[in-house]
């Protein structure tokens, strides 16, 4: 890309104290991203009910061979609801676009069987085979007993009008990946299990990155614009996925449009119990890192 400038990342600030009023005035109204006090949701109900810090034992190995940081799912609990249909993303390396990507609603039992199989056959999950990601599963689509595991945080109910646009669950085996995009509403993103690496760009900076990628792909001249506020298939495979990934995650970045050197983005790693506020219009890309299950829940609210 021509006219490129370097992009450097600063550590994202953490809210000084667990105080909704402080959050409302300094972040929500100011439309600034922030990490809430670390570990604030460590005792959240879904953490203890949905996840097991001990992964399924690896075939042929003793139980002590699996690290505690490699979390698994609470299969005994979740398999009671295996007939519930959930949205699954299937990715397979290869094909014309470099990756085959499909999205469909399938029984939760299929996802549980896949994660159990992968974690029980290898200490290091394969990255070159088919992968499933339970992505953007709406809380309202789950049985009531599972919905009850996700009480709405006070930050969502009290910072603004208390209107909830949507609540979604995201579960996969690391590595997982969400390309650069922006949301139409404020977003509270809570990490439940495993770790996720998040990079954020201010609205004008992110728009420049996305526009440059689209220009490079020559889609604008063809009249095929795409919404950056929706997880579209075009963002999940092919050249667009590759360019977005390089633009955000290449630490020797040469793909950032603009003329000012040292354009700033923000960077944070979320551990279980951590929460991140992403204001409306702030661009972000998220990678599940480490090993084992990585899981999150988010609220879009006003």
């Amino acid at each position: 890309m021509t006219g490129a400038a370097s992009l450097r990342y600063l550590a994202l600030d953490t809210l000084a104290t667990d105080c909704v009023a402080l959050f409302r005035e300094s972040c929500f109204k100011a439309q600034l991203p922030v990490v809430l006090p670390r570990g604030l949701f460590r005792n959240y109900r879904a953490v203890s009910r949905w996840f097991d810090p001990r992964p399924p034992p690896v075939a042929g190995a003793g139980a002590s061979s699996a690290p505690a940081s490699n979390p698994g799912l609470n299969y005994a609990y979740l398999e009671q609801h295996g007939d519930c249909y959930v949205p699954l993303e299937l990715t397979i390396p290869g094909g014309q676009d470099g990756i085959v990507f499909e999205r469909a609603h399938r029984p939760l039992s299929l996802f549980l069987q896949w994660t159990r199989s992968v974690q029980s056959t290898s200490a290091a999950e394969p990255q070159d085979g088919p992968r499933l990601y339970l992505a953007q599963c709406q809380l309202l689509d789950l049985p009531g007993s599972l919905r009850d595991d996700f009480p709405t945080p006070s930050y969502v109910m009290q910072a603004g009008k208390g209107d909830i646009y949507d609540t979604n669950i995201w579960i996969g085996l690391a590595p997982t990946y969400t390309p650069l995009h922006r949301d139409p509403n404020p977003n509270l993103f809570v990490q439940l299990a495993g770790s996720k690496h998040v990079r954020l760009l201010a609205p004008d900076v992110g728009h420049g990155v996305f526009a440059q990628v689209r220009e490079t792909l020559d889609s604008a001249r063809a009249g095929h614009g795409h919404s950056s506020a929706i997880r579209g298939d075009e963002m999940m495979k092919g050249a667009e996925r590759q360019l977005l990934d390089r633009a955000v995650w290449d630490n020797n970045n040469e793909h950032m449009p603009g003329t000012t050197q040292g354009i700033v983005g923000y960077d944070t790693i979320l551990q279980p119990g951590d929460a991140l506020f992403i204001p409306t219009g702030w661009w972000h890309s998220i990678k599940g890192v480490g090993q084992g299950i990585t899981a999150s829940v988010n609220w879009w609210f006003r």
Side-chain angles (χ1 to χ4, degrees), residues 5 7 24 46 53 57 65 73 97 101 122 153-154 167 189 195 209-210 237 241 269 279 294-296:
L7 178 65
R24 182 190 304 115
S65 64
L73 292 167
D97 293 320
F101 177 82
S122 175
S154 58
T167 306
F189 187 91
S195 304
V209 173
F210 187 80
K237 61 184 180 181
R241 174 188 172 109
I269 294 180
T294 177
S296 316

Side-chain angles (χ1 to χ4, degrees), residues 86-89 103 105 133-142 165-171 178 181 183-184 196 229-232 296-298 300:
V86 295
L88 296 179
E89 293 180 352
R103 197 193 316 257
H105 279 73
Y133 189 30
L134 195 159
Q136 204 165 331
C137 175
Q138 291 183 301
L139 191 64
L140 289 177
D141 289 340
L142 297 178
Y165 171 70
D166 204 0
T167 306
N168 293 274
I169 300 166
W170 316 74
I171 306 176
T178 300
H181 68 288
D183 298 328
K196 281 186 176 169
I230 300 175
R231 285 172 58 86
S296 316
V297 59
N298 83 287
W300 285 308

